Amino acid sequence: MDTSDCSGRRGDAKFAGAQERTRAWLAALGFVVAAPAWADDAEKAKTIVANVCSACHGIDGNSTVPTYPKLAGRHPDYIVRELKEFISGKRKSDIMAPICAALDPGDFKGLGAYFGAQKPSSGTVLNAKAAAEGKKLYQDGNELSGVPACAGCHEPDAAGNKRFPRLAGQHREYLVEQLHNFRNDIRNNETARVMREVAKRLTEDEITAVAEYLTGL
Amino acid sequence: MKAWLGALLLLSSLAGGLRAQEAGHDGGAAPVWNEIKGEKLLALKLRGDAARGAEAFVGCQGCHKRGATGSPSGAYPRLAGQHATVLIEQMTDIRSGRRQNAKMLPFADEHVLTPQEIADIAIYLQGLPIPPNLGKGPGDKLERGKELFVRDCSTCHGERGEGQAEKFYPLVAGQHFKYLLRETEFIRDGRRGNANPDMVRVIKPYTDDDLEAVADYIARLEAPAAAPSQ
């Protein structure tokens, strides 16, 4: 007879009994013993994405519509910040403002986590020459006109971080539109007015080039 | 170190104030170089935090590069290892307009960085290791460069180009050649607004060749090991 196995089983039973008693005590004390809150958040986020976000941004956050941004792989904190700013009006969007206002801000963290965990897709480079010029601008900036390297904030691989969004694989059309919006002060919710200053220093060719480079990453 | 720096700042600001008053009685006179007042005084007094400085510096590294190594083209100086006092002086002078820098100002202005963040960035940069082999010059006038450096520069900037933190004299050893050349030209020609008048006087007679010689010599000086970040 294997006694160690028996004692092990006895131990498990003892442990389960203790757990039951603990639950009973906690319940008696008024605690609700339930599944962890993050599991609920994740399930809820999935439902919201399916019902609300996926029509434009895709169920996996990889939008197939060039004017709607891809969200897959973006840092959750950045997603939460933008959602809040669509509501407050700091970031202006006639499309996103009413959609976000209809959501519970308590769900934003779950949405950020959901999109942040999706695998980002890459686009296709159509103009290799422009992409090569865009790479140089992205990594080194333009010293003559004082354009900083985009890599300084958005990371060398353009994966972004909690303060600055992922740009790798993003639709070129969306990138060009956002840079134009920064340049024309239409988009003005960024940290310390930095992107408006940068966009005003960019030429049209540079905007096209850097968007071409990023879309292929 | 903080305590004596504080005492020194207090003394120098008092002395500056007295000098300014005396000048006022004399019927107005030359402004005091690097007067320690306003946000410059505030940032110098604040205790910088290198970890917070690293966060705040993210917005600067698009130009000054990761590790603050700057650019060999001379467009952006290496900041790694520079004295915190000098960095605070330069950042606040650019904000106040004493040193004109239209390229940098929108990324370092009052809506971007607080005086606390200036202090944080300064202490972070002071503690960064100085990379070897930065931009150098042609190397054909190093004897002349050494002669000029020993005669004119070393009294303030130190025999090894290490500068003097408490006097706001920058570490110049191992700086990019082209940056040294550009700034010494600006200082000689009266285009650097916050230049030390003593230095302007010393290099006024320098020819372009002299500037190139001394800049090349300084760029090749081995920078000392980084100062502690606290």
Side-chain angles (χ1 to χ4, degrees):
Chain A
M1 190 181 162
D2 190 339
T3 50
S4 67
D5 185 49
C6 284
S7 67
R9 277 182 196 163
R10 270 204 304 275
D12 284 348
K14 205 172 164 186
F15 177 68
Q19 219 176 14
E20 272 307 302
R21 281 195 296 280
T22 309
R23 277 173 189 267
W25 271 110
L26 285 174
L29 287 167
F31 288 98
V32 179
V33 185
W38 59 263
D40 281 355
D41 285 352
E43 276 310 307
K44 205 170 168 199
K46 240 174 163 172
T47 311
I48 297 169
V49 171
N51 294 336
V52 184
C53 319
S54 63
C56 294
H57 295 286
I59 189 74
D60 63 349
N62 287 301
S63 132
T64 52
V65 186
T67 47
Y68 297 138
K70 294 181 182 177
L71 305 177
R74 271 194 188 176
H75 196 288
D77 290 2
Y78 181 80
I79 292 176
V80 170
R81 189 183 85 185
E82 297 303 291
L83 289 171
K84 284 181 180 165
E85 294 189 358
F86 281 126
I87 294 183
S88 71
K90 198 175 172 203
R91 180 166 177 184
K92 296 174 203 63
S93 167
D94 292 340
I95 298 174
M96 286 299 290
I99 294 171
C100 293
L103 295 173
D104 177 356
D107 294 331
F108 289 174
K109 210 175 158 192
L111 290 171
Y114 176 87
F115 284 117
Q118 302 303 308
K119 191 175 182 300
S121 67
S122 291
T124 311
V125 170
L126 302 174
N127 182 339
K129 188 172 168 285
E133 288 164 8
K135 180 178 184 178
K136 190 165 181 346
L137 183 76
Y138 184 89
Q139 301 295 347
D140 301 332
N142 181 340
E143 292 185 346
L144 288 176
S145 58
V147 174
C150 318
C153 292
H154 293 275
E155 306 291 347
D157 61 358
N161 50 51
K162 65 181 174 184
R163 287 196 282 167
F164 306 103
R166 178 186 179 87
L167 303 174
Q170 189 56 270
H171 298 298
R172 62 169 70 68
E173 293 84 351
Y174 179 76
L175 292 167
V176 169
E177 183 193 34
Q178 293 306 306
L179 287 170
H180 285 167
N181 286 349
F182 279 123
R183 188 168 69 189
N184 299 323
D185 294 322
I186 293 168
R187 180 163 174 193
N188 52 14
N189 71 319
E190 86 283 25
T191 306
R193 302 179 214 152
V194 163
M195 276 310 298
R196 276 169 280 171
E197 184 63 35
V198 172
K200 286 179 179 76
R201 296 181 186 191
L202 290 169
T203 66
E204 204 52 41
D205 283 350
E206 284 175 330
I207 289 178
T208 308
V210 80
E212 191 66 21
Y213 167 63
L214 289 167
T215 208
L217 291 181
Chain B
M1 158 163 172
K2 273 280 159 188
W4 71 253
L5 181 63
L8 184 116
L9 287 172
L10 188 65
L11 281 174
S12 63
S13 62
L14 283 173
L18 286 173
R19 274 201 301 277
Q21 275 185 352
E22 283 163 15
H25 289 310
D26 293 345
V32 181
W33 176 72
N34 190 31
E35 197 174 352
I36 309 298
K37 61 173 188 180
E39 68 166 12
K40 186 183 285 183
L41 176 62
L42 179 60
L44 285 164
K45 276 173 153 178
L46 289 166
R47 175 176 283 274
D49 179 285
R52 284 199 311 253
E55 280 275 301
F57 185 74
V58 167
C60 317
Q61 61 192 17
C63 294
H64 290 282
K65 309 292 178 205
R66 282 182 162 70
T69 55
S71 173
S73 73
Y76 309 114
R78 181 206 85 216
L79 304 174
Q82 185 58 272
H83 304 300
T85 51
V86 172
L87 293 162
I88 289 171
E89 174 202 7
Q90 297 303 322
M91 282 190 270
T92 53
D93 279 356
I94 285 170
R95 280 152 68 111
S96 72
R98 283 172 63 85
R99 180 174 174 186
Q100 298 277 330
N101 190 331
K103 266 187 195 172
M104 173 164 154
L105 184 60
F107 302 108
D109 212 347
E110 288 168 18
H111 68 276
V112 184
L113 299 173
T114 63
Q116 178 65 60
E117 284 172 316
I118 288 180
D120 295 341
I121 290 173
I123 207 73
Y124 164 67
L125 293 174
Q126 174 176 284
L128 286 181
I130 300 169
N133 301 319
L134 296 178
K136 293 183 177 58
D140 56 349
K141 295 184 275 292
L142 295 176
E143 274 307 308
R144 172 73 178 149
K146 183 177 182 179
E147 187 191 322
L148 291 169
F149 182 82
V150 170
R151 189 188 77 194
D152 294 339
C153 317
S154 60
T155 317
C156 294
H157 288 285
E159 284 174 16
R160 294 178 297 122
E162 69 273 21
Q164 294 186 56
E166 68 281 8
K167 288 190 172 172
F168 300 89
Y169 298 151
L171 157 73
V172 289
Q175 182 57 271
H176 295 287
F177 163 72
K178 287 194 175 169
Y179 178 76
L180 290 167
L181 190 58
R182 184 185 81 186
E183 292 304 312
T184 49
E185 269 177 25
F186 280 2
I187 291 167
R188 181 193 64 182
D189 301 342
R191 294 170 61 197
R192 180 153 156 166
N194 70 342
N196 187 326
D198 292 339
M199 177 162 170
V200 178
R201 203 170 49 244
V202 168
I203 68 167
K204 202 84 191 165
Y206 275 39
T207 63
D208 286 353
D209 269 3
D210 289 339
L211 290 183
E212 194 176 287
V214 80
D216 201 359
Y217 177 77
I218 293 170
R220 289 162 194 263
L221 285 174
E222 195 183 333
S229 63
Q230 292 296 333

